[in-house]
Amino acid sequence: MTQVVIWLVAFAAILVLSLKRWSSLSASLDGMLPQPMKTGGDNSVIWSLALAVLGATTLVRPVDVLMTVIVLCILALVAVKLGGWAMNKVDFH
């Protein structure tokens, strides 16, 4: 129960701060994201909710987030290696 309360408080705090400071936050996000994911338009609520969920979860359960990132990196590495292997096997002629 305590974790839920801490998560909710962290979520609310991150959400309020990200909505309040959206102009500087969107400039930072635009610098890191590829063109199709840029924050142009009125996506402030969606991005703020996503950042609040990620931030609150990272504060409450950092090991789970770290393990998820490690698993995703391993899966991406395997996909890249298999893609490279498959491209070497394909005959384009």
Side-chain angles (χ1 to χ4, degrees):
M1 182 69 181
T2 305
Q3 282 185 347
V4 173
V5 172
I6 293 171
W7 190 91
L8 288 172
V9 169
F11 174 79
I14 294 170
L15 182 63
V16 167
L17 289 173
S18 64
L19 285 172
K20 183 184 277 190
R21 309 242 183 221
W22 179 248
S23 60
S24 63
L25 185 61
S26 67
S28 299
L29 282 175
D30 284 344
M32 292 188 300
L33 295 174
Q35 184 60 37
M37 295 179 70
K38 298 284 185 189
T39 60
D42 191 26
N43 296 330
S44 62
V45 175
I46 294 169
W47 279 106
S48 296
L49 284 172
L51 291 173
V53 168
L54 285 172
T57 304
T58 303
L59 286 173
V60 174
R61 312 250 337 183
V63 174
D64 292 348
V65 173
L66 180 63
M67 291 302 291
T68 302
V69 168
I70 290 171
V71 168
L72 288 175
C73 288
I74 290 172
L75 289 174
L77 180 65
V78 168
V80 167
K81 294 294 184 182
L82 283 175
W85 174 79
M87 292 302 287
N88 286 336
K89 294 292 181 182
V90 172
D91 185 19
F92 288 109
H93 294 89

